[in-house]
Amino acid sequence: MLTHIHHYGFVVRNIDESLGFYRDILGLPVSVDRVIEEQGVRGVLLPIGGNSEIELLEPVSEGTGIARFLETRGEGFHHICFNSTDVSSDLTNAAQKGIQMIDETPRNGLAGLIGFLHPKSNHGVLIEYAQPQEETHTLPNEDALVKAVDHVGIVVEKIETAVQTYTEHFGFGQDDSRGGANQALGIKNAFLKVEDGALEFIEPLTEGGPVAKFANERGEGVFLLSYSVNNLEQAIEHLRLQDVRISDPMGGVAFVHPKSTNGINMQLMMRKES
Ligand code: CO
C-alpha cells in the first residue's frame, strides 16, 4: 500500500553547494548522507514536515542514469517517491495495471528497498516506491523556514485524464476543496490528497504564461514545489537578507528564483490552518 510522499528527488551538480541553500538557508537538517557506489551517486536526505524529505542526488561517476540526466537536462526536479508498506507487492500491482516499469522487483536505494515506474505511464513524472528498511526519518527542524511541501505541481495536457490515471495507478483521492479555473493565471488545476501532501495537476488555458511555456518546451512533468511557511512576509525578508532572489507576494504566494534552488521552481505559501 502507498501511504504518503516519502521524498522529492532533485538532481544537483554539487551537493555541498546545494546544502548552502537547503540546509543553511531553509534550515532543513540532514538525516542521511551516503554514497551508493553501485549507482554512482551521492545522496542526501533532508527531513521536512509532513513526514517527507528532500533528496539531493549528485553523480559521483560517469555513465550512470543520474550523470546522464545532469548532462542532458541540467539540474532540476528528478522524481517523486511514494512510501510503500510492501514495495514488492506494490511494484507487482503496478505492473499488473499495465504501468510501464523500470524495476519489476525492488532493489536497494537510499530510502530503503526501492523501485521506479516509467514517466511515460505517469504524465511525464518519474515515480519511485520506497519501503524504508531502517528508521532514517528524523524529526524536521522546528526552526526551519519552510514547514512542509504543501504540494507538487505537475503540468499536464488534460487534468481530467491525469486525475483518472493517478487515481487508478496509486489510489489517491481528489481533494474537492481545492482547484478550479484561475483566469488571472491562465490555468485550471485539480488536487489529489496524499496524506499531508498533495499532487496538483495544472493545465494551461492560454498560450502565454509560464505554465504554457513549460508545456510547450518540456511537455508534461513536474513544474513546481510549493512549500508552506508560517509567515510569508517574514520568509521573504529572511531570504532577501541572505541574497536569495524572491518575488513580491502575489495572491498569497511568492516565487524563489530557480538560480537559488538548483533549477526547481519553488513557491512559498502561507501554511494552511489545521
Ligand atoms: Co529517491
Side-chain angles (χ1 to χ4, degrees):
M1 197 179 83
L2 304 174
T3 55
H4 60 273
I5 297 175
H6 184 282
H7 64 261
Y8 305 87
F10 308 164
V11 170
V12 305
R13 214 169 287 286
N14 183 311
I15 283 183
D16 291 323
E17 280 175 22
S18 302
L19 287 175
F21 180 70
Y22 288 98
R23 180 193 58 200
D24 302 339
I25 294 180
L26 297 186
L28 303 174
V30 169
S31 63
V32 174
D33 185 346
R34 191 183 296 159
V35 171
I36 304 180
E37 293 291 350
E38 61 271 30
Q39 287 167 34
V41 295
R42 175 184 170 196
V44 163
L45 291 175
L46 303 114
I48 187 167
N51 222 2
S52 295
E53 329 217 356
I54 301 294
E55 181 182 71
L56 303 177
L57 298 167
E58 174 195 328
V60 293
S61 52
E62 301 283 309
T64 61
I66 296 296
R68 277 196 302 275
F69 182 94
L70 190 59
E71 242 167 64
T72 54
R73 307 272 301 262
E75 293 188 307
F77 195 92
H78 188 253
H79 63 272
I80 301 175
C81 178
F82 299 130
N83 190 80
S84 161
T85 53
D86 183 346
V87 68
S88 186
S89 86
D90 283 332
L91 289 174
T92 304
N93 282 344
Q96 281 168 353
K97 286 176 184 167
I99 300 174
Q100 194 177 328
M101 306 300 289
I102 294 171
D103 298 300
E104 301 261 349
T105 52
R107 56 190 167 93
N108 283 309
L110 192 67
L113 279 178
I114 60 131
F116 280 94
L117 285 60
H118 203 283
K120 267 186 193 153
S121 294
N122 299 297
H123 295 273
V125 183
L126 177 62
I127 304 278
E128 179 183 10
Y129 289 174
Q131 182 181 1
Q133 296 297 292
E134 49 181 318
E135 192 43 75
T136 54
H137 185 83
T138 52
L139 284 178
N141 178 2
E142 292 233 342
D143 299 330
L145 182 73
V146 289
K147 298 306 174 190
V149 175
D150 181 82
H151 62 269
V152 50
I154 301 164
V155 169
V156 297
E157 267 174 45
K158 281 272 159 242
I159 53 175
E160 292 81 4
T161 317
V163 165
Q164 194 185 352
T165 303
Y166 272 68
T167 304
E168 284 172 11
H169 286 184
F170 311 115
F172 306 136
Q174 192 167 352
D175 181 352
D176 293 321
S177 70
R178 302 172 90 177
N182 187 325
Q183 302 297 342
L185 292 177
I187 58 136
K188 61 176 182 172
N189 61 3
F191 289 81
L192 295 187
K193 217 170 149 43
V194 189
E195 207 191 60
D196 289 342
L199 307 175
E200 176 196 23
F201 297 114
I202 315 165
E203 177 186 328
L205 292 176
T206 56
E207 282 302 306
V211 171
K213 185 166 180 272
F214 182 94
N216 286 334
E217 289 174 3
R218 303 273 297 268
E220 296 188 309
V222 169
F223 173 67
L224 66 71
L225 278 190
S226 181
Y227 296 74
S228 55
V229 296
N230 281 344
N231 184 310
L232 189 60
E233 300 282 350
Q234 278 175 17
I236 291 171
E237 199 186 312
H238 175 86
L239 289 172
R240 285 182 177 159
L241 284 173
Q242 315 259 356
D243 292 324
V244 174
R245 279 171 65 190
I246 179 164
S247 73
D248 288 326
M250 305 170 278
V253 302
F255 292 91
V256 179
H257 195 280
K259 211 179 146 194
S260 297
T261 60
N262 300 104
I264 296 141
N265 289 327
M266 175 178 190
Q267 183 188 71
L268 297 186
M269 59 180 281
M270 291 289 271
R271 196 179 198 178
K272 279 179 303 194
E273 298 300 326
S274 54

